[in-house]
Amino acid sequence: MDDTTERTLSKVPEVTLIFWVIKIAATTLGETGGDAVSMSMNLGYLVGTAIFAVIFMVAVAAQIKAKGFRPLLYWTTIIATTTVGTTLADFADRSLGIGYAGGASLLFALLLGSLIIWYWSLGTVSVDSIVKPKAEIFYWLTIMFSQTLGTALGDWTADTAGFGYGGSSMIFVLLLVAIVAVYYLTNISSTLLFWMAFILTRPLGATVGDFLDKPINVGGLALSRYFASFALLLFMMTCIFLFEQRAAEKAH
């Protein structure tokens, strides 16, 4: 590449190993944190969704207003998407009575629609193109749908499909390993593989989160949701402050 090529910094992080480590921790925190509010606090899925939806909208507005990539703000917004995704999926699956399969199907349609409209509108869904508000809105809307879909998928594999929390976690780990192999061994679009991996980290986090805080008689460790959430948040903050994260770059 010509050294004189102009480069624009995205407002989202470069996709590295530490990105995925923090992302999985965030999705797990989303499950334990969402359940802590809706279940442990007995506020219910609808009230929990309303609370986290407000936090999500405030975080996205702050993210869009920011002049560049801010790691702490970015990951705060990611956590907001995972928590609202948890309570929203639980509300759709359980309170609306459409079940895990129905909820997952609806959310997959919304996610696919978001990606299609995003691509049709801007010509790309690549994360290194997140430099303007319109792209950011599509990015965060797509992430919110993917996080919600991931919750429904995790619950479906663990409960309806009968794989349990450990078995479901292993399924999603193997799928992610397969995506990594495809990335290194083929020429398949890295953008497509990114979104596939991004979606699959959510059900992995959902099943790990359930494994941590669900009762022992259903296959969990029965840890306090508050304790698990605090430990995951502490781990995330440690990673964010110890490991430098750079903004993704786009050549043009």
Side-chain angles (χ1 to χ4, degrees), residues 164-166 207-223:
Y165 305 125
T207 53
V208 171
D210 281 338
F211 175 70
L212 293 175
D213 65 29
K214 287 297 188 284
I216 294 175
N217 63 341
V218 295
L221 294 179
L223 297 178

Side-chain angles (χ1 to χ4, degrees), residues 94-106:
R94 300 167 187 173
S95 298
L96 295 182
I98 60 178
Y100 297 132
S105 299
L106 173 62

Side-chain angles (χ1 to χ4, degrees), residues 8-22:
T8 300
L9 292 179
S10 174
K11 291 176 69 177
V12 301
E14 183 180 22
V15 180
T16 61
L17 177 60
I18 195 61
F19 170 87
W20 292 115
V21 170
I22 300 175

Side-chain angles (χ1 to χ4, degrees), residues 42-93:
N42 295 315
L43 295 179
Y45 301 126
L46 184 58
V47 174
T49 298
I51 292 172
F52 290 125
V54 171
I55 296 173
F56 167 67
M57 288 186 287
V58 170
V60 170
Q63 176 73 19
I64 292 174
K65 187 177 180 180
K67 299 301 182 182
F69 170 57
R70 302 289 185 269
L72 191 58
L73 175 59
Y74 175 84
W75 288 110
T76 296
T77 311
I78 287 289
I79 292 172
T81 67
T82 65
T83 48
V84 74
T86 295
T87 55
L88 181 58
D90 287 341
F91 176 73
D93 297 341

Side-chain angles (χ1 to χ4, degrees), residues 161-186:
F163 289 103
Y165 305 125
S168 296
S169 298
M170 185 56 62
I171 288 173
F172 293 118
V173 166
L174 292 175
L175 288 172
L176 287 168
V177 170
I179 290 175
V180 172
V182 170
Y183 173 78
Y184 284 107
L185 299 176
T186 74

Side-chain angles (χ1 to χ4, degrees), residues 105-129:
S105 299
L106 173 62
L107 292 163
F108 179 75
L110 291 171
L111 173 62
L112 191 61
S114 178
L115 285 168
I116 290 172
I117 296 172
W118 180 4
Y119 185 82
W120 175 79
S121 178
L122 298 178
T124 180
V125 294
S126 175
V127 295
D128 62 10
S129 68

